[in-house]
Every structure is written in structure tokens, then in C-alpha cells.
Amino acid sequence: MARAVFGDFARAVESHLDVPAGTAVRGGSGQEFAEVNGALLRITEVMARYASDVSLVSGDYLPGDRSRLAVWARAAIEAREALGHADELLRESGASPGNENKTVTGTSLPRGLHAAAASMTAARDLLQTHFTSEPGSVRQGRSEWALVITSPTVTRTLLGEIAIWARHIAPQLSDLAVARPGMRGTGEARRRMETVGHCLWSVHAAVQAAHQHDPVSADDRRLLHAIPVNMPQPRCVPDGTETIGDLCAGIISTAERVRHAAPIPPRQPAWDPGLTITSLRQVAATGTATSHHCRILLRALAARASQAGHDQIGPGLLESAAAATQARARWLHAVGAVDQVTTDVRRFVSAEATEAGDLALWTGRLAYDDPRWQLSSGPSQPARAPEALAAEPDDIPVVLAAIHHAAETLRHLARADQHQIRAAADAGRILVPTRSLPESDDVARRYSTAPPSRISQLIAAYQDAGTASAQTTAAIADLAETVRAPSRILTLARAATRPTRDSAPSFSRGSLPEPALTRSASAAPEHTTAELLRHIGATSPDLLRRGSEIDRARERLILDAAQEQALDHTHHNSARSLGPEKDALSSHPVARADPRAVAATIGQAPRQSEPPEFEP
Amino acid sequence: MSNPHSIPERLQGATGLKAVLAAAYDAFEFLLAVIRAHQDLDEDLFTAFVMSGACAADGRDALTAAPSLPWPPPVEQAGAVNDFRSGSAGEIAADLAALSQQLATRLRDAATTAPDSRDRAECAEAAQCAIGIRDLLAGRMP
């Protein structure tokens, strides 16, 4: 069963907000205003939570990204302020969030808003499953998607999503606020409704301004929508009855489980008790087998593409197979390096090693003709015929996606084990036989702590395996893009977690840098002053208000500093002056966080040269 | 430096736990070296060789933990690997599978007769590793 993804809920939000014109309300009675206010309060609460989650100020921007930080951080701050203002207005009106079940009039707007709020909340909860957050502690990533979610790319796109929602709601509030016959006594409520609508326009306008400067692409939105709930599929091993499609799905599911079981530091503790020589050997051997299977499969796909006349991907498939051959050789080298060492604990097989074995099994089942193939099946196993692997041309992207996931997982495994070995070596857990040490005279002991030179050789072997696997992944990513394979999302996710965004995502081979370790989810937003005050039990509204003011001042300070640095940077380089853009930003009505000024802005049509409106 | 074909003879002729452990240790080292030297020769045998190499290393490590293994163990097969035989990868696999079977038999015996429980446990584990090599290189036996 497919896992829920962010896009499922985001689409539901838009569906709930898509109220046909003229059907939003019946007559605009006082009760209807109260119901809409209650539903709106839920909406603004959850949207404000989204905006609070977004950290473009204290997050991961590098010096080269300062101008982007300026525009998007400003958008985040202004969206947060506008939503806060709307929240205040609604609370002043006596609105209570309530829920959709209490709606008595049955008009479509409050019902739609309540349903949209529920979907927004579910979508945010889905993102939160990728983090752990204990009281008083920093939010920690707990999946490979955490880095993606906290990346500047997804953060900006999330703000864009909020803006889209705000833009759907705002005109309906304006419509509701228009006076009609029989609406006597609702003047104050209508004015308030209109102002709340302006606040939502303000959210949209703030994000739109940032989007004009630094656009969010369709691929960025595709990536956000593809983020799944952090709930790995249960372990599953093939039983021999699987179709090609089943095997491909099994490979992808198992690949995700492997990556989940092999976390990348700094989530890793100083040393992992799961690191044993038994696990290391199993991962290295099955990793080698998986890369061998990838090679077989890529060659078979190349033959199939040739049969089917797909000349545009044949050479790429052969190049990918050659890259897989290199990866196999590098993994084989790692296998040999692991032969020469041991650990203080043996026998225990980690979850990572078990899952890596499963991946070799699934990829082997796809590569070989025997539906009961096992790693222990022995020699002379015939490979699956190309026409059986991809009976129809449309099957090629499906099979390629499975290979793409397997290759990406090998890259991940090499890197994870490299860090595990380093941590274990630091703890003195990697041992070598004393008789393998040339100058050792202490032959009475059987093992000795591995000397640094041996550790370096071991780590270098894994580094090489990781690099070769990354090159295979990059080669396959090119093809995945060409044939529109579903695994393209892997490439987008990797691009989003690159340490710099100065260049557009590149799919060229061999150019996939590792995500910077320092840019982990643990470096994500620290606690705000207001949160810390609540944590120590402060409940005084005055204290909390002052805390919020400090937080806002801090954000402003960082933003101003970043913008100043960006200006200095661009002036020095004389490549592209930010002067006019800075002026435009500072003179932009929403930059003053004044919702009343927004109405004059929203009618402005974008210039021809600007990116399109941020809309789905 | 012994003739590589003496490995089976040493295994066969070893008497007493210490001699069996020493011969078995040497046999695992020999298996590992031959497997690593030939694993990339044949596409069909690639996975079987790679996986069986991990079993050989695990078997060697298990015996290293056996208290009765003489230390340092005699290394009599060093250098013999390249002269092992000049057959096809399939023929080499068959020879190694036969050696693994013999190794497993001796280790199983040792696992039931060794006085020390730790020796018994390590011999049993090493015997399993030898069976694993045999299955991988010859195909699973009934």
C-alpha cells in the first residue's frame, strides 16, 4: 500500500477551499460570520505553525545564499506577522476554533475552511514525523527526509504552499465582507472579515515578492509534494510469485528501509553497538552483490532499449552499466579491506546488514531468471532475458527507478559505514591480528587495536565505494530524467540537500557532492525565547509578548545583517546590483507589514520578464 | 611453504584438538585467499565467490577466538594461492567446495568433542561458515 505523501493533503486543502462562486455563504448573517471566524481561526493557527516551522534565518544558508536569505526570510517574517495579526483580529471577535461538526448553517465556506484546516494540520503532522522533539531539546531529524524538509528549497516551497492557500481563502472573505440586503448589524464583523482577508493577501504578496526574486520551480513543488510520512514499509522478502512490478516495488521499499536503518551522522552515536565485523562483512558483501545485480540489470535494459528502438537511452544505459562495474570493483575492494580486520564484538547482525541482504535478494530476483533465486543459490544462474525484464517500453522507467533506488542506497551505505568505522576506530573497537603488524612483538595477544594507517586504508576503501556508487547513481539519474522515471524525486531530494544552491540542479554525471554534515537537522531552528519562557513555566502574557518581541527583533537583526552582507557581496563583485531590488523590497507595502497597504499591491501585474505567479 | 594440496591432507591427518584447530585456521586463510584471488574471473560465479569470502573470514575469526588454537598459528599456505590450480573458475569453485565440506566435517567433530565449551561454540560457528562456503560454491545440497 502506498504511503501518504504531503501532496495528498495539499491537494485536499485546495479541493476543500475550492468553493464555487456565489455559494460560499447564504446571506451573511451574524451566525455565519461567527462560524467563518471560528473556521478561519483554525486556518490561521495552523498556517502560523507552518510559518513558525520555517527557519530561513537561523537555518542552512551559506554566504553565497545571502541575497536569497534576505528575500525569503523577509517573506517568512512578514507571513508570520500577517498571520499573527489575523489571529489577533479573530480572537478579538470572540472566535473559537471549534470544529466542523459544530457548524449548524451548513454553508459551504465554514465547512470547507474546517476541512482545509484539518488537511493542513495532517500535512504538517506528516512533515513532523521526520523529527523528534522532546521538551527543552532541539528538533532532531529522524529520517533521510529531515534534511530535505529543512533545506532552503523545501522551506521556500512550503512558504509558497501557504501563500497558495492564503490566496484561495482571501477572495472568499472579501466576498463575504460585501454588504448585502438583510445584513444589518454586521458592519463591524464585515470590516473585521475584510481585514483578515487583507492579512491573507499580505501572506500571499510577501511570498510572491520573494518568488519574483528567487522563484520556486515546479520541481521544487514536486519534491515537497512527494515527501512521504515517516513510516517505513514493513520488512518483506520475496516469495517467488512476484511480477516484475512487484519486484521493482520491493526493491524501492527495501532500499528505503536500508537507508532508514543506516543513518548518516551526526545522528549516529559516538559508536554504534550494532557495528560488528559480522555486520560490516555482510553489508560489504551484499553491497557488492547488489552493485553486480545493478550492472546485470542495466545491461539487460540496454539490450531491451536497443530491441525496442530507444536509441536515445541505449548509450546512457551502457554508460551506467560501466559505472556500476566500477562501483562493483570498489565495493569488492572494501570487502577485501574488511577481511583484514575485526571488531571487539562479533556475530551480531545489525538491522542495516539484514536490510542490505534483503536488497541484494530483491535485486537478484529481478536480475536472474529463477523466481526462487537466493544469494546462496550457487553458480550458473541464468540472467533474466531483456524482453522478460521490460516486456513493454513503458516498463523501462519502472525498472530503471528500482535500479536508481538500489544504486542510491549503495552510495548511502558506503557513507554510513564509513562514518561508523571512524566512530568505532575512535573508540578502539577496530582490531587487527597482532601477527599482521610487522613490528609487533606482542604475539601472545591475538588482536591489537588497528593502527591509524590500517584505519585510513579501510575508510578510504569505503570512500571509494561511495564515490563510485555516487557516480553510478548520477549516471542513472540522467536516464531517469530522460525517461521520466518515478525515481526522479531522488535526484531532486539530493539536489535540495546540497550545501549550496548557487547553481541550478545539475544532473551531470559525477557531480553529486555529499551533503555537508554540519547542515543536519540538528542545526535546524533553535528554540525561540518565547518557547524557552514557556518551557520554564512562564505563562504571563506580558512575559510571553516580550519574548516574542525579542525573537522578532532577533530575526530582523539577522535579516538586516544578511541583507547588508549580500549588498556588500554584490557591490564587490559588481556582477549584479541588488540596489533597485533592495529599494523595491523596502518600499513594498508588505515590507512594512501593514495589511491595509496590501490592497494596492495585489492588483499589480507581474512584469513580462518576471517569473510566473506562484500558483499550482 | 607447503603444497596447497597439503591443506586437505593436513586437515585429514590432524589429530588432537590443537592440530585440528590449527589446520582449520590455515584452511580458512587459504580459502579466503583463493576466493579473493579468483572472485572476479567469472560473471556467473561472482556473487557466490564474494559471499563465500565473507564466510571464510567469519570462520577464520571464529577459530581465532577458540582458546585452544595455538597462537600464533602456523601459516603454511602463504604464497601457495597463485599456484593453486589453473582451471576454470567453476573447477576452482568445485575444489574449494570440496575442501569446505571436509573442513566442516572436522570442525563439527571438534565441536562435539572439545572439552572447553568456548572451543565447542567457536568450532560449531566455524563449521557453519564452512557449510556456507560449500553451499555457495557448489549449490545448496540436500
Side-chain angles (χ1 to χ4, degrees):
Chain A
M1 191 176 69
R3 279 181 296 169
V5 294
F6 184 89
D8 294 339
F9 297 105
R11 281 187 291 276
V13 171
E14 289 179 43
S15 165
H16 293 311
L17 294 178
D18 191 16
V19 179
T23 64
V25 291
R26 284 177 179 165
S29 68
Q31 187 177 351
E32 278 187 298
F33 278 115
E35 288 168 3
V36 172
N37 283 346
L40 272 177
L41 191 54
R42 284 186 71 191
I43 292 270
T44 54
E45 278 178 353
V46 66
M47 286 172 75
R49 269 187 238 121
Y50 271 106
S52 295
D53 294 338
V54 166
S55 177
L56 287 154
V57 171
S58 58
D60 301 331
Y61 275 78
L62 295 175
D65 290 323
R66 279 174 183 142
S67 64
R68 289 183 168 123
L69 182 154
V71 292
W72 280 101
R74 186 174 291 280
I77 291 168
E78 287 165 4
R80 220 174 293 162
E81 288 175 351
L83 289 165
H85 188 53
D87 188 83
E88 280 173 27
L89 284 167
L90 290 165
R91 288 185 191 282
E92 282 170 13
S93 74
S96 162
N99 60 55
E100 57 267 55
N101 296 329
K102 290 183 181 171
T103 303
V104 292
T105 58
T107 53
S108 54
L109 182 58
R111 271 192 289 117
L113 290 176
H114 273 300
S119 294
M120 286 179 195
T121 304
R124 181 175 175 272
D125 288 348
L126 179 146
L127 296 181
Q128 295 299 320
T129 62
H130 294 277
F131 300 91
T132 55
S133 183
E134 293 172 9
S137 69
V138 174
R139 189 168 72 151
Q140 300 276 347
R142 56 193 290 255
S143 81
E144 61 179 335
W145 283 100
L147 268 177
V148 178
I149 294 168
T150 54
S151 69
T153 298
V154 168
T155 302
R156 292 177 311 136
T157 313
L158 200 50
L159 272 177
E161 206 72 24
I162 297 170
I164 290 171
W165 297 338
R167 185 174 174 161
H168 271 81
I169 299 167
Q172 299 182 50
L173 303 188
S174 303
D175 186 42
L176 182 61
V178 172
R180 296 184 185 85
M183 292 177 71
R184 202 170 297 164
T186 60
E188 178 59 27
R190 283 189 285 107
R191 276 190 292 277
R192 203 184 300 276
M193 188 66 66
E194 187 172 18
T195 310
V196 171
H198 285 169
C199 290
L200 295 180
W201 277 122
S202 183
V203 170
H204 179 266
V207 172
Q208 184 65 23
H211 173 63
Q212 299 288 340
H213 184 85
D214 179 23
V216 171
S217 71
D219 275 347
D220 294 342
R221 194 153 187 248
R222 189 176 303 128
L223 176 62
L224 171 64
H225 279 215
I227 294 173
V229 65
N230 184 23
M231 189 181 70
Q233 309 273 31
R235 185 181 175 212
C236 182
V237 290
D239 62 12
T241 63
E242 291 80 9
T243 63
I244 296 292
D246 294 338
L247 290 171
C248 292
I251 289 170
I252 292 170
S253 169
T254 305
E256 287 175 351
R257 285 178 58 85
V258 175
R259 298 197 296 267
H260 190 80
I264 300 289
R267 277 175 52 200
Q268 196 70 30
W271 57 269
D272 181 359
L275 179 85
T276 63
I277 191 63
T278 315
S279 296
L280 269 181
R281 283 192 187 128
Q282 178 159 330
V283 170
T286 55
T288 307
T290 299
S291 62
H292 178 59
H293 300 155
C294 287
R295 175 185 190 237
I296 293 171
L297 289 165
L298 287 164
R299 284 180 168 184
L301 277 189
R304 185 70 186 107
S306 174
Q307 289 170 359
H310 291 307
D311 296 335
Q312 78 279 19
I313 58 169
L317 285 164
L318 288 174
E319 282 175 29
S320 300
T325 304
Q326 287 299 315
R328 189 185 82 161
R330 295 296 93 201
W331 271 101
L332 208 47
H333 186 59
V335 165
V338 173
D339 283 343
Q340 307 308 317
V341 299
T342 190
T343 52
D344 53 352
V345 176
R346 292 187 293 121
R347 296 193 182 97
F348 177 77
V349 178
S350 65
E352 172 196 350
T354 302
E355 302 289 355
D358 286 353
L359 184 61
L361 175 61
W362 279 101
T363 52
R365 286 283 171 97
L366 188 62
Y368 294 107
D369 196 41
D370 179 4
R372 304 278 171 187
W373 181 89
Q374 298 277 348
L375 280 166
S376 57
S377 288
S380 302
Q381 301 296 317
R384 193 184 291 275
E387 56 275 18
L389 182 63
E392 301 295 331
D394 286 351
D395 297 334
I396 290 178
V398 177
V399 176
L400 190 67
I403 306 170
H404 193 178
H405 272 270
E408 166 67 12
T409 303
L410 291 176
R411 182 201 66 79
H412 182 101
L413 271 177
R415 190 156 166 263
D417 277 7
Q418 187 184 332
H419 288 288
Q420 284 207 14
I421 290 167
R422 197 188 302 274
D426 288 346
R429 297 188 59 224
I430 305 290
L431 310 175
V432 293
T434 46
R435 68 182 179 82
S436 71
L437 300 173
E439 295 177 8
S440 171
D441 55 1
D442 186 10
V443 291
R445 280 189 299 134
R446 299 186 178 191
Y447 289 109
S448 178
T449 306
S453 60
R454 298 283 288 276
I455 297 296
S456 296
Q457 288 169 8
L458 187 59
I459 289 174
Y462 276 86
Q463 196 159 14
D464 288 348
T467 302
S469 299
Q471 287 168 347
T472 308
T473 307
I476 297 171
D478 282 347
L479 291 165
E481 189 64 26
T482 303
V483 301
R484 316 296 283 172
S487 61
R488 280 179 300 149
I489 211 70
L490 276 179
T491 313
L492 295 177
R494 291 276 288 123
T497 54
R498 281 179 195 166
T500 178
R501 294 186 55 257
D502 275 343
S503 57
S506 162
F507 303 108
S508 60
R509 249 183 312 289
S511 63
L512 282 176
E514 301 292 327
L517 292 181
T518 51
R519 289 183 59 256
S520 69
S522 63
E526 48 196 85
H527 280 264
T528 63
T529 309
E531 285 171 341
L532 290 172
L533 286 171
R534 285 192 201 97
H535 181 62
I536 62 172
T539 55
S540 157
D542 183 51
L543 283 174
L544 295 175
R545 181 186 54 75
R546 286 163 56 196
S548 296
E549 285 172 0
I550 290 169
D551 290 328
R552 284 179 191 173
R554 172 179 169 276
E555 286 180 337
R556 287 275 180 200
L557 175 64
I558 295 171
L559 175 60
D560 289 345
Q563 193 159 332
E564 193 172 297
Q565 291 295 316
L567 283 170
D568 286 349
H569 179 76
T570 48
H571 283 313
H572 282 306
N573 287 296
S574 302
R576 185 172 161 218
S577 171
L578 257 184
E581 289 158 332
K582 176 179 178 268
D583 292 339
L585 270 177
S586 57
S587 62
H588 196 291
V590 295
R592 298 194 299 272
D594 182 1
R596 289 169 299 185
V598 174
T601 309
I602 55 179
Q604 291 175 355
R607 293 189 300 273
Q608 285 297 317
S609 58
E610 290 175 336
E613 183 88 352
F614 192 91
E615 276 295 296
Chain B
M1 192 177 300
S2 65
N3 183 311
H5 296 295
S6 71
I7 298 278
E9 290 160 19
R10 279 190 64 209
L11 267 178
Q12 187 63 36
T15 53
L17 180 61
K18 285 182 184 296
V20 169
L21 288 173
Y25 181 94
D26 206 18
F28 273 121
E29 284 276 39
F30 177 74
L31 282 165
L32 182 58
V34 174
I35 287 166
R36 294 301 181 224
H38 295 88
Q39 62 194 356
D40 212 5
L41 292 183
D42 188 289
E43 192 82 351
D44 283 349
L45 282 161
F46 181 79
T47 303
F49 267 91
V50 170
M51 299 304 296
S52 62
C55 290
D58 284 343
R60 176 203 60 192
D61 286 359
L63 292 184
T64 307
S68 298
L69 174 72
W71 196 264
V75 184
E76 299 190 11
Q77 53 78 30
V81 173
N82 293 336
D83 305 324
F84 176 54
R85 63 171 294 154
S86 55
S88 67
E91 289 168 338
I92 292 170
D95 281 356
L96 295 182
L99 175 59
S100 301
Q101 175 61 57
Q102 185 188 8
L103 181 56
T105 303
R106 292 308 314 260
L107 286 169
R108 274 181 183 157
D109 290 344
T112 57
T113 58
D116 188 308
S117 62
R118 287 174 299 166
D119 282 332
R120 290 197 299 272
E122 301 300 348
C123 284
E125 184 183 338
Q128 276 305 111
C129 293
I131 291 294
I133 298 169
R134 184 206 65 188
D135 287 349
L136 283 160
L137 295 179
R140 191 179 292 277
M141 292 185 180

